[in-house]
Amino acid sequence: CFGSTINLTSVTNFPGAPSSLTYSWTGPNGFTSNLQNPTIPNSTPLDSGTYTLNYTTPNCNGTATTLVIVNTPINPAFTQIAPICQNGAVSNLSTISTNVPAIQGTWNPALVSSAVVGTQTYTFTPNAGVCANVATMNIQILPNEQVTFNQISPFCIGDTPTALPATSTNNIAYTGTWSPATISTAVAGTATYV
């Protein structure tokens, strides 16, 4: 994964003192080394490719290759949780991303809280061994407030009424349902709709 250390390893079972062995590594991005087991810290996708080891012993010479792939970390994606009213019901944070293939991990904090008004930040950490970045989700907790609407003018009996408003007149408009759902002008008097 991007940023990790590449460990190149040569396992030798040749008789004789180790000082009698020589190593010559070559690879992508101009890599060369005379170490038996070199490392490449902070790898990038430019370090991907075939690494070749040429070795010599007192009795023989040889070549070995290994393929290294450095992946670019994936950004985990999640469905944004909509704003929640203070002390309202909360959704669970999914521990599986919407990426294909999906990325599993954990959230900190693990549970959404609607106790405090404001924007709460939750941090997703992918499971170990997954080449993915840390992700965050900001969830807005809204203050509870009285929903307001423009007053509807009076009707005469039998008039065709207007529809009840679909959204409130608050600074942050609210939507919902009415009970009863429609205005009736069949009977004189005052009716309350909730």
Side-chain angles (χ1 to χ4, degrees), residues 172-189:
I172 298 176
Y174 294 93
T175 60
T177 58
W178 290 96
S179 180
T182 58
I183 297 172
S184 172
T185 61
V187 178

Side-chain angles (χ1 to χ4, degrees), residues 136-158:
T136 59
M137 182 184 294
N138 293 324
I139 300 175
Q140 189 177 12
I141 308 301
L142 302 174
N144 292 315
E145 59 181 324
Q146 181 67 41
V147 180
T148 58
F149 296 93
N150 291 327
Q151 180 63 48
I152 295 175
S153 299
F155 297 103
C156 293
I157 292 177

Side-chain angles (χ1 to χ4, degrees), residues 24-52:
S24 176
W25 287 92
T26 58
N29 207 19
F31 175 78
T32 61
S33 176
N34 292 322
L35 298 175
Q36 179 181 355
N37 302 311
T39 61
I40 304 170
N42 302 314
S43 64
T44 73
L46 295 175
D47 297 312
S48 296
T50 300
Y51 288 79
T52 302

